[in-house]
Amino acid sequence: MTATLSPVSPLPARVLAMLTMVVTASLLGACASTPDAPPQLAVAEAAVQRANTPTTMADAPLQLRVATDKLAAAHAAVTAGDTRRAQMLSEQAEVDARVAELHADSMRSGKAAKESQDAARALSEEIQRKPAR
């Protein structure tokens, strides 16, 4: 019994634009952040930026959105002077960005596996149709 993957629909342009704006705002906010920002914030920003690819946006939009939302919340915490909360949210944003990347990788691997199974099945059917010589 083979598992079937449901097709992934492309993200609407509005959602892609919103994700891009959130990441851009986060990066711009980092430039204006106070010196009290935890070092982890820069690590989280890099992780979210690395995960923010068209493939990840297509294959793991929810996971990427969680990461960008937590990064934005970390920036807000820095602005509010809550360094401890900013540190915690930064760590979570980094992990969530990695989850988004891994989920997208998993989706691509699943699609490739299904294509291979389909090709093997087609080849097997073709072999069975041809008479032995």
Side-chain angles (χ1 to χ4, degrees):
M1 182 175 209
T2 61
T4 59
L5 297 175
S6 62
V8 176
S9 62
L11 287 175
R14 192 173 84 177
V15 173
L16 289 175
M18 187 170 57
L19 281 172
T20 302
M21 287 185 338
V22 167
V23 169
T24 302
S26 296
L27 293 175
L28 289 175
C31 295
S33 63
T34 63
D36 294 346
Q40 181 62 33
L41 187 60
V43 174
E45 288 171 346
V48 170
Q49 186 176 15
R50 184 180 60 245
N52 192 18
T53 65
T55 303
T56 306
M57 284 186 217
D59 291 337
L62 298 176
Q63 293 82 357
L64 185 58
R65 174 71 186 262
V66 168
T68 56
D69 287 351
K70 285 185 182 173
L71 182 59
H75 281 287
V78 167
T79 302
D82 191 348
T83 307
R84 189 169 150 244
R85 179 166 170 71
Q87 174 72 24
M88 179 189 67
L89 288 167
S90 296
E91 290 169 0
Q92 291 176 2
E94 179 189 3
V95 170
D96 290 334
R98 185 68 182 133
V99 166
E101 287 180 302
L102 292 172
H103 184 78
D105 289 347
S106 175
M107 293 296 292
R108 282 192 302 276
S109 295
K111 289 175 189 175
K114 183 176 182 333
E115 289 172 4
S116 294
Q117 289 172 348
D118 291 346
R121 188 176 308 114
L123 182 59
S124 176
E125 290 171 1
E126 185 65 26
I127 290 170
Q128 289 175 1
R129 272 186 263 174
K130 292 197 178 201
R133 292 184 183 190

